[in-house]
């Protein structure tokens, strides 16, 4: 008993003295940034002193530190895009689909970096860090963890490889470039990454087993240490409200409510067209009357004409401020649909589960870590709107799953304490 108490005290001292720096392009812009920020909060709530270093600061939280030099940051962002633009002979196609990390800022000079015991990289693209900056971080002597929120770490330049498997070799002939060939820009960046990672001491973390498997097949990461840790969810911010009360407060009178959200709804990878086709199938087959369905939308849209595809009544809320408002929307819905062609994790899915809302999603990538078919959600066949429609009907008409049980499972798997402890174990292993 005395030994156990002594061990607990020593562990507490070790953890409380650990300083972790989370590095991210932004603190709240985009799913990866939100996930990184939630991890900072979880670590601070579990005895670790964590701070967040960002290029773009959109909040005034004390634990967020912004890199100096706003004009330099803007130039870095523009210079990278110009380099890609020129490489594609001034075509805008796929301009933001790839990142080459040819420019960035040296964070090793900052006090936040120098004070940290652990450097934890997250999504650091669009002018935050260059490959040269990453090399300097890896050679700093500080333990480095790098969480993958998409595929960029295991490919040359793309964030999602889609059906291309060139990353299992050395890239080149990149389908995202206008004139692909063996020695194209993707091959050049791949070789630079390969040289930087050679003999580097860095622990990679995949947010799902699907992404972990992709990493092990990559020529870049197959010999690296890769762990799997899911994204964290603050259960205090996502509450389960009564469904009828939520619909009343939102002014929804429809019998069945389908929810859909993304940082960019009209981003092609989000597959919004598949959702619209699925809803159209439901209406055309008469399974649910058009006026009995309501589509509840949130997130950003650049091209509003995409909403003309929606075949049922809808409510578009734009960017939703406040987790209570988002919780109310999830609680009002029968299901939340993710029709993304690829998801490394699926943040909206665990948010929905925490609010007693069933997820309906494709069965091809990171969502399969979260959803068990017809147990806590529905896994539709990939790119099949009819199968997606079957999932919406199952969630709306056929299931009798207790909403509290959905929330309880999320607490067990994704709560702050659970995820923070997994990262603390990784940090400790690197400090030994």
């Amino acid at each position: 008993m005395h030994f156990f108490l002594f061990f607990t005290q020593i562990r507490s001292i070790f953890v409380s003295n650990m300083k972790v720096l989370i590095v991210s392009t932004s603190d709240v812009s985009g799913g990866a940034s939100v996930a990184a920020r939630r991890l900072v909060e979880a670590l601070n709530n579990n005895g670790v002193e964590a701070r967040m270093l960002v290029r773009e600061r959109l909040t005034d939280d004390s634990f967020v530190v912004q890199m100096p030099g706003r004009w330099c940051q803007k130039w870095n962002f523009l210079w990278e895009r110009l380099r890609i633009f020129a490489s594609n002979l001034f075509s805008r196609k796929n301009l933001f689909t790839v990142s080459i990390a040819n420019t960035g800022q040296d964070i090793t000079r900052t006090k936040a970096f120098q004070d940290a015991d652990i450097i934890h990289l997250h999504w650091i693209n669009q002018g935050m860090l260059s490959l040269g900056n990453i090399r300097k971080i890896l050679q700093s002597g500080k333990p480095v963890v790098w969480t993958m929120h998409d595929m960029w770490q295991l490919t040359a330049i793309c964030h999602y490889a889609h059906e291309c498997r060139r990353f299992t070799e050395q890239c080149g002939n990149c389908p995202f470039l206008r004139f692909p060939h063996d020695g194209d820009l993707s091959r050049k960046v791949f070789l630079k990454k390969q040289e930087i990672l050679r003999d580097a001491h860095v622990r990679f973390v995949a947010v799902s087993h699907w992404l972990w498997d992709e990493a092990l097949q990559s020529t870049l990461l197959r010999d690296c240490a890769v762990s799997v840790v899911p994204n964290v969810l603050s259960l205090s911010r996502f509450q389960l409200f009564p469904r009828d009360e939520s619909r009343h407060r939102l002014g929804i009178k429809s019998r069945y409510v389908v929810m859909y959200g993304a940082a960019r709804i009209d981003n092609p990878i989000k597959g919004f067209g598949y959702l619209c086709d699925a809803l159209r199938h439901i209406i055309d087959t008469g399974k649910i009357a058009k006026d009995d369905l309501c589509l509840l939308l949130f997130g950003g849209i650049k091209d509003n004409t995409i909403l003309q595809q929606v075949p049922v009544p809808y409510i578009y809320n734009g960017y939703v401020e406040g987790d209570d408002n988002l919780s109310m929307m999830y609680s009002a819905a029968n299901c939340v649909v993710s029709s993304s062609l690829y998801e490394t994790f699926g943040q909206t899915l665990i948010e929905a589960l925490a609010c007693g809302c069933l997820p309906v999603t494709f069965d091809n990538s990171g969502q399969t870590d979260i959803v068990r078919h017809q147990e806590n959600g529905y896994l539709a066949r990939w790119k099949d709107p009819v199968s997606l429609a079957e999932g919406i009907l199952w969630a709306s008409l056929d299931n009798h799953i207790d909403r509290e049980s959905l929330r309880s499972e999320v607490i067990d798997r994704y709560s702050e304490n659970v995820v923070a402890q997994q990262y603390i174990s990784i940090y400790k292993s690197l400090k030994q």
Side-chain angles (χ1 to χ4, degrees), residues 274-419:
Y274 290 102
L275 169 63
C276 294
D277 289 344
L279 294 173
R280 193 172 294 110
H281 177 79
I282 291 172
I283 301 305
D284 290 346
T285 56
K287 299 293 178 63
I288 298 178
K290 178 178 179 179
D291 291 339
D292 283 341
L293 257 178
C294 175
L295 178 61
L296 196 55
L297 293 166
F298 74 94
I301 297 178
K302 283 192 175 181
D303 181 7
N304 284 326
T305 61
I306 195 172
L307 297 177
Q308 296 173 9
Q309 301 178 37
V310 181
V312 300
Y314 67 88
I315 299 172
Y316 173 52
N317 289 314
Y319 288 109
V320 179
E321 296 291 338
D323 293 326
D324 276 354
N325 293 327
L326 201 52
S327 295
M328 192 70 63
M329 292 170 64
Y330 283 125
S331 296
N334 296 91
C335 64
V336 63
V337 174
S338 171
S339 52
S340 295
L341 302 184
Y342 299 93
E343 284 278 9
T344 51
F345 181 68
Q347 196 74 20
T348 58
L349 305 184
I350 62 171
E351 292 172 358
L353 286 166
C355 302
C357 176
L358 286 163
V360 177
T361 184
F362 288 137
D363 65 353
N364 64 306
S365 48
Q367 309 98 308
T368 56
D369 271 17
I370 300 169
V371 180
R372 299 186 312 281
H373 186 55
Q374 293 188 321
E375 292 183 31
N376 69 341
Y378 194 96
L379 293 172
R381 293 183 295 275
W382 189 47
K383 291 186 176 182
D384 187 341
V386 173
S387 183
L388 203 62
E390 291 169 353
I392 294 171
L393 290 170
W394 172 82
S396 302
L397 302 176
D398 300 332
N399 89 86
H400 302 283
I401 298 173
D402 178 64
R403 297 175 71 209
E404 289 284 356
S405 67
L406 297 177
R407 181 175 176 83
S408 295
E409 182 180 345
V410 171
I411 293 172
D412 292 339
R413 298 175 65 187
Y414 307 111
S415 65
E416 285 191 346
N417 180 64
V418 170
V419 176

Side-chain angles (χ1 to χ4, degrees), residues 101 105 121 124-125 129-140 144 146 152 193 196-197:
Q105 290 180 276
L121 306 179
I124 45 73
N125 297 110
L129 296 181
S130 69
L131 293 179
N133 298 146
I134 293 169
R135 182 202 303 274
K136 199 166 183 179
I137 292 167
L138 297 179
Q139 293 177 346
S140 68
V144 178
W146 197 348
W152 188 79
K193 282 186 174 181
I196 289 169
L197 291 176

Side-chain angles (χ1 to χ4, degrees), residues 186-316:
S186 72
R187 173 64 63 84
K188 293 173 182 176
V189 174
F190 191 98
L191 293 176
K192 287 180 182 178
K193 282 186 174 181
Q194 196 169 44
E195 196 275 327
I196 289 169
L197 291 176
R198 188 177 293 117
D199 300 324
H201 298 290
V202 54
R203 173 71 64 85
F204 288 94
V205 175
V207 294
S208 66
H209 285 86
W210 170 80
L211 187 57
W212 173 81
D213 186 61
E214 294 290 275
L216 295 189
Q217 295 182 53
S218 164
T219 302
L220 280 172
L221 300 189
R222 64 172 54 133
D223 295 324
C224 297
V226 185
S227 303
V228 179
V229 181
N231 288 337
V232 66
L233 185 68
S234 173
L235 275 302
S236 63
R237 293 186 172 181
F238 288 89
Q239 300 292 324
L240 192 162
F241 296 120
R243 181 163 289 162
D244 290 343
E245 176 188 327
S246 300
R247 291 183 180 182
H248 177 74
R249 291 180 61 178
L250 293 170
I252 298 173
K253 297 181 180 179
S254 304
R255 291 181 64 190
Y256 307 106
V257 179
V258 176
M259 188 168 167
Y260 181 94
R264 272 279 313 282
I265 290 174
D266 53 341
N267 185 336
I269 203 170
K270 296 302 179 182
F272 186 67
Y274 290 102
L275 169 63
C276 294
D277 289 344
L279 294 173
R280 193 172 294 110
H281 177 79
I282 291 172
I283 301 305
D284 290 346
T285 56
K287 299 293 178 63
I288 298 178
K290 178 178 179 179
D291 291 339
D292 283 341
L293 257 178
C294 175
L295 178 61
L296 196 55
L297 293 166
F298 74 94
I301 297 178
K302 283 192 175 181
D303 181 7
N304 284 326
T305 61
I306 195 172
L307 297 177
Q308 296 173 9
Q309 301 178 37
V310 181
V312 300
Y314 67 88
I315 299 172
Y316 173 52

Side-chain angles (χ1 to χ4, degrees), residues 6 98-99 205:
F6 174 75
V98 300
S99 295
V205 175

